[in-house]
Amino acid sequence: MHGPVLLVIAHGSRDPRHAATVHALVRRVRSLRPGLRVETGFLDFNAPAVPRVLERLAFEGVREVVALPLLLTRAFHAKADIPAVLAQAPPQLDIRLADVLGPSPLLLSTVERRLQEALDEAGLAPADKRSTGVVLASAGSTDPEAIAVIADVARELRHTGWCAVRPAFASAALPRTEDAVRELRASGVRRVAVAPYVIAPGFLPDRIARGARDADVLADVLGAAPELARLLLVRYEEARAARPAALTA
């Protein structure tokens, strides 16, 4: 084994597609870094729970862990839930908390990948993106920092060649996906694509899909994309290089 254990911390969901997607992403990370031990823990709904994974690692004699939140923005789970869980870890573990995944050019590339796949499936050419507006639909948050990040990502996506990009949210913030779709229609764009800015399927991604029923194209969730797997390793290496014991970073 080379370096600290990487513990990927996912939210969890009653929807079995969520855990399946998380595990597929982790398998891709392992394939990119043979020799790196990668474990998965969930905050809720799914097993194994994060505390049980940490207890097992300590029992096995592991001493160094990089805990990586499988989150796109720094909202409540990143700022409160995960640090609280890690603070209860066995004392023999030296845990470094990696940053959340976003924002990152690799995430933007993943969104572009999913949008292009959806355009291809709809029989559209790459040049059609110039006449296509995009709704970047995230899960939503009450945290102003997280909302601002989504707006920034939408602006960055606009610079990649789409004729317009609007952020939208499945919960906790406005506009909803369907309202952003209507707004783009009213602005005169030729077609509208919805890009879910979420990692795995579940309740809120399904709400995004329902809000996209009047759109021309619906992209897939980010899922186990190769760019996303590489981003997990980037955050792992950043945490390894940082000062230890940054559970509230």
Side-chain angles (χ1 to χ4, degrees):
M1 184 179 68
H2 305 292
V5 171
L6 169 57
L7 172 58
V8 177
I9 301 178
H11 181 273
S13 171
R14 292 186 178 91
D15 189 322
R17 297 173 298 167
H18 175 90
T21 302
V22 171
H23 290 309
L25 177 60
V26 168
R27 285 195 298 271
R28 188 179 284 273
V29 172
R30 291 189 183 117
S31 72
L32 292 175
R33 187 68 64 84
L36 172 62
R37 181 173 178 180
V38 187
E39 298 284 344
T40 308
F42 295 90
L43 292 175
D44 207 353
F45 302 117
N46 301 107
V50 174
R52 303 293 82 77
V53 178
L54 293 172
E55 290 167 4
R56 174 165 52 84
L57 291 174
F59 178 79
E60 293 175 5
V62 171
R63 290 296 175 261
E64 291 185 288
V65 175
V66 169
L68 196 161
L70 199 62
L71 300 169
L72 300 179
T73 60
R74 277 182 51 79
F76 182 78
H77 294 304
K79 294 178 178 179
D81 281 352
I82 291 176
V85 169
L86 296 180
Q88 301 302 314
Q92 61 265 47
L93 291 177
D94 174 10
I95 302 177
R96 302 188 189 192
L97 179 57
D99 201 358
V100 296
L101 300 179
S104 167
L106 285 168
L107 276 177
L108 203 64
S109 296
T110 307
V111 174
E112 283 281 337
R113 169 188 287 274
R114 296 307 185 213
L115 279 166
Q116 191 57 58
E117 289 170 350
L119 289 180
D120 292 344
E121 188 173 338
L124 298 167
D128 287 319
K129 71 185 294 185
R130 293 195 295 269
S131 55
T132 302
V134 174
V135 174
L136 184 74
S138 77
S141 174
T142 57
D143 190 302
E145 179 186 348
I147 298 300
V149 167
I150 300 302
D152 288 342
V153 174
R155 282 190 288 269
E156 289 295 322
L157 188 61
R158 169 69 180 82
H159 295 153
T160 66
W162 306 94
C163 70
V165 180
R166 300 283 188 276
F169 307 93
S171 68
L174 296 174
R176 294 288 184 260
T177 303
E178 54 269 32
D179 296 326
V181 170
R182 283 193 289 267
E183 179 186 345
L184 283 173
R185 291 268 189 232
S187 72
V189 300
R190 183 177 301 177
R191 70 186 62 82
V192 177
V194 173
Y197 193 63
V198 293
I199 293 172
F203 176 74
L204 292 179
D206 283 350
R207 181 180 289 177
I208 290 171
R210 290 193 297 272
R213 58 183 173 269
D214 291 331
D216 301 286
V217 174
L218 173 62
D220 200 359
V221 298
L222 304 181
E227 297 89 348
L228 192 56
R230 291 203 301 272
L231 178 56
L232 266 65
L233 291 173
V234 169
R235 293 290 183 253
Y236 170 80
E237 292 298 343
E238 289 171 347
R240 285 187 67 187
R243 289 195 306 119
L247 293 187
T248 58

